[in-house]
């Protein structure tokens, strides 16, 4: 097991399970036998879905992957139904429960639940351990289970998902002159000494990371419990985010982050908390793979700390502030520096790794990630997939996760929270819609109207 994957395995904690949770909602009722057949055949090329984690008896050795000789797909697929009357509320309850339930560590670290009883059709919920791969790779593995048409047979096998790089992709212009050294590090994570080749700027950035003060205290940050809560939005047209970006010279990613920041501000105000002068940090994963290798398993991403200016009242000023900082981060080697630190933590004794996790966790309040999905609708086990959402684990004892995913021309927001800190993440989702409307109104005032406005 690569040291960085071992680091994510070592982060497993009852209050923060290291699972990526994904949901695919399909039209109509899916057949569990057909779904099991699809999973069995299409996950075969990805060896880790048929392998166990074997932990060493001595601390000096890394855990490793070992084939499960008696692998049975039936151990990884469950068929359940929502209690009456079903619907979004019952689905949120079940997703929250499963997000809070650990995987069976004696089997390959993934499980799929086919859920019936939702008003629009069946739901496939997948839970996959972060040590298998990062969110970008796992979302694409999930989407590779689907087909471009409902008539494709389940005997067809494809090792790579049909997916295009979209406007949400943040590839690391961050590595700059250190790209060659960074690629050597990705190819062989044991060569952490290659970070030195990033030069004086990399050393400066590492020092700045160490000196970064702990993030401020808000209702989003505190002692964690074992119960998580999940919520998600309806799809919002991607074209509308592009229009807002065009009006203010920002990227779609800038607009999405600014909208999520405004949603957090609105949520704090709703709870009667002060927002004056408040800024919190989000830990943002940055993909370090080339686009054509994004389907490969393992963890190949770095982290950057992005300031979210919650205290800024005007949404346009907030957007411009976020754009300025994100532009700076894209030019820096911060992501590679953090990737190197995670590699070192994977080699370290348990006590040192826990110290490292507390270090990373103290610097931020939330994990904020976005992943581009396919631009055209897909079909799973013969059923059209109409919504896709995912949630990444909140590593480093963080209690707030914000996930953004684009699919078939729409964008969805997912929020995962610690129940003791934020028992109502659906309120953050509602605030996201309100903030989007405010930014769209500002963009409409700046640009001439060229088409009818979409409803949210």
């Amino acid at each position: 097991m690569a040291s960085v994957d071992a680091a994510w395995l070592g982060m497993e904690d009852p209050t923060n399970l290291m699972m990526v949770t994904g949901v695919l909602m399909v039209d109509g009722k899916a057949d569990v036998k057909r779904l099991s057949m699809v999973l069995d055949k299409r996950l075969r090329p990805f060896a880790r879905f048929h392998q166990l984690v074997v932990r060493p008896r001595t601390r000096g050795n890394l855990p490793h992957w070992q084939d499960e000789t008696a692998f049975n797909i039936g151990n990884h697929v469950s068929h359940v139904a929502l209690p009456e009357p079903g619907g979004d509320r019952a689905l949120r309850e079940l997703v929250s429960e499963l997000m809070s339930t650990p995987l069976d560590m004696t089997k390959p670290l993934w499980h799929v639940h086919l859920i019936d009883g939702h008003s629009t059709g069946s739901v496939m919920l997948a839970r996959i351990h972060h040590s298998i791969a990062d969110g970008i790779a796992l979302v694409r593995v999930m989407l590779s289970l689907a087909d471009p048409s409902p008539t494709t047979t389940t005997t067809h096998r494809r090792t790579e998902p049909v997916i295009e790089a979209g406007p949400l992709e943040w590839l690391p212009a961050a590595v700059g002159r250190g790209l060659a050294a960074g690629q050597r590090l990705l190819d062989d994570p044991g060569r952490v000494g290659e970070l030195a080749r990033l030069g004086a700027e990399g050393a400066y950035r590492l020092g700045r990371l160490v000196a970064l003060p702990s993030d401020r205290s808000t209702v989003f940050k505190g002692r964690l419990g074992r119960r998580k809560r999940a919520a998600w939005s309806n799809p919002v047209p991607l074209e509308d985010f592009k229009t807002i970006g065009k009006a203010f010279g920002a990227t779609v990613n800038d607009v999405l982050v600014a909208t999520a920041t405004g949603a957090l501000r609105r949520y704090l105000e709703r709870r009667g908390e002060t927002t004056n002068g408040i800024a919190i940090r989000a830990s943002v994963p940055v993909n370090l793979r080339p686009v054509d290798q994004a389907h490969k398993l393992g963890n190949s991403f770095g982290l950057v700390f992005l300031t979210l200016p919650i205290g800024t009242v005007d949404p346009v000023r907030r957007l411009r502030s976020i754009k300025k900082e994100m532009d700076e981060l894209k030019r820096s080697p911060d992501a590679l520096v953090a990737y190197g630190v995670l590699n070192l933590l994977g080699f370290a004794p348990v006590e040192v790794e826990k110290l490292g996790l507390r270090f990373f966790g103290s610097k931020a309040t939330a994990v904020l990630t976005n992943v581009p999905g396919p631009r055209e609708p897909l079909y799973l086990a013969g059923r059209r997939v109409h919504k896709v959402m995912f949630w990444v684990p909140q590593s480093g004892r963080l209690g707030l996760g914000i996930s953004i995913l684009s699919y078939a021309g729409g964008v969805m927001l997912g929020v995962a929270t610690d129940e003791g800190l934020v028992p109502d993440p659906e309120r953050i989702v509602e605030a996201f819609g309100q903030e989007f409307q405010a930014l769209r109104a500002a963009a409409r005032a700046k640009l001439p109207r060229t088409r009818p406005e979409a409803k949210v």
Side-chain angles (χ1 to χ4, degrees), residues 100-417:
S100 309
T101 304
L103 292 163
D104 184 350
M105 302 298 285
T106 68
K107 294 181 174 64
L109 298 180
W110 65 279
H111 200 96
V112 167
H113 297 260
L114 180 62
I115 304 167
D116 293 335
H118 191 255
S119 54
T120 59
S122 295
V123 177
M124 188 192 87
L125 183 147
R127 296 179 299 141
I128 308 171
H129 202 279
H130 210 315
S131 60
I132 291 179
D134 55 47
I136 290 176
L138 290 179
V139 168
R140 297 189 177 196
V141 168
M142 283 179 57
L143 292 172
S144 76
L145 304 174
D147 297 299
S149 76
T151 57
T152 306
T153 63
T154 57
T155 56
H156 175 68
R157 183 188 300 177
R158 183 173 63 247
T159 58
E160 299 183 22
V162 176
I163 192 168
E164 300 178 37
L168 304 185
E169 187 81 289
W170 183 3
L171 292 174
V175 296
R177 294 187 302 274
L179 180 59
Q183 188 59 55
R184 286 193 293 274
L185 178 60
L186 292 173
D187 293 338
D188 182 3
R191 297 172 64 180
V192 293
E194 291 284 358
L195 278 177
R197 296 180 181 272
L198 289 174
E201 186 179 5
Y204 166 74
R205 290 286 176 168
L206 179 58
R208 199 174 79 159
L209 174 63
V210 172
L212 195 66
S214 297
D215 209 3
R216 68 173 299 141
S217 177
T218 65
V219 298
F220 302 124
K221 197 172 179 66
R223 186 180 180 87
L224 303 182
R226 299 192 178 198
R227 177 72 177 172
K228 304 302 176 186
R229 301 292 301 177
W232 56 90
S233 72
N234 287 319
V236 181
L238 180 60
E239 283 299 322
D240 286 347
F241 285 101
K242 291 182 179 179
T243 299
I244 295 171
K246 180 180 178 181
F248 301 110
T251 68
V252 170
N253 198 37
D254 297 334
V255 177
L256 287 166
V257 174
T259 308
T261 303
L264 297 179
R265 173 186 171 85
R266 290 171 184 267
Y267 179 80
L268 288 177
E269 290 177 333
R270 182 168 184 158
R271 285 186 54 162
E273 302 287 332
T274 181
T275 56
N276 293 333
I278 287 181
I280 63 174
R281 296 190 204 99
S283 174
V284 181
V286 179
N287 179 33
L288 297 177
R289 295 180 183 87
V291 174
D292 60 355
Q293 296 181 24
H295 62 284
K296 292 186 177 180
L297 300 189
N299 288 273
S300 295
F301 70 96
L303 296 171
V304 296
F305 291 103
L306 175 67
T307 301
L308 305 181
I310 290 177
T312 301
V313 178
D314 180 56
V316 175
R317 286 185 58 197
R318 194 159 51 238
L319 170 59
R320 286 173 173 155
S321 174
I322 287 170
K323 171 181 167 49
K324 180 179 179 181
E325 182 166 1
M326 291 185 77
D327 286 347
E328 178 186 350
L329 288 171
K330 290 175 187 178
R331 293 190 296 267
S332 78
D334 286 18
L336 275 177
V337 170
Y339 181 82
V341 173
L342 286 171
N343 265 290
L344 290 173
L345 288 178
F347 286 114
V350 175
E351 294 81 2
V352 175
E353 184 177 12
K354 288 182 177 180
L355 286 173
L357 294 180
R358 285 199 291 270
F359 167 79
F360 274 105
S362 69
K363 306 297 183 184
T365 293
V367 175
L368 192 158
T369 185
N370 56 60
V371 175
R375 298 173 182 174
E376 302 297 329
L378 297 177
Y379 295 81
L380 177 67
R383 299 290 180 178
R384 183 180 183 273
V385 179
H386 62 88
K387 289 182 182 177
V388 181
M389 195 59 245
F390 79 109
W391 298 265
V392 294
Q394 289 78 67
S395 56
R397 303 292 175 89
L398 301 180
L400 174 63
I402 299 174
S403 305
I404 301 168
L405 187 140
S406 66
Y407 168 69
V411 177
M412 289 180 65
L413 174 83
V415 180
T417 63

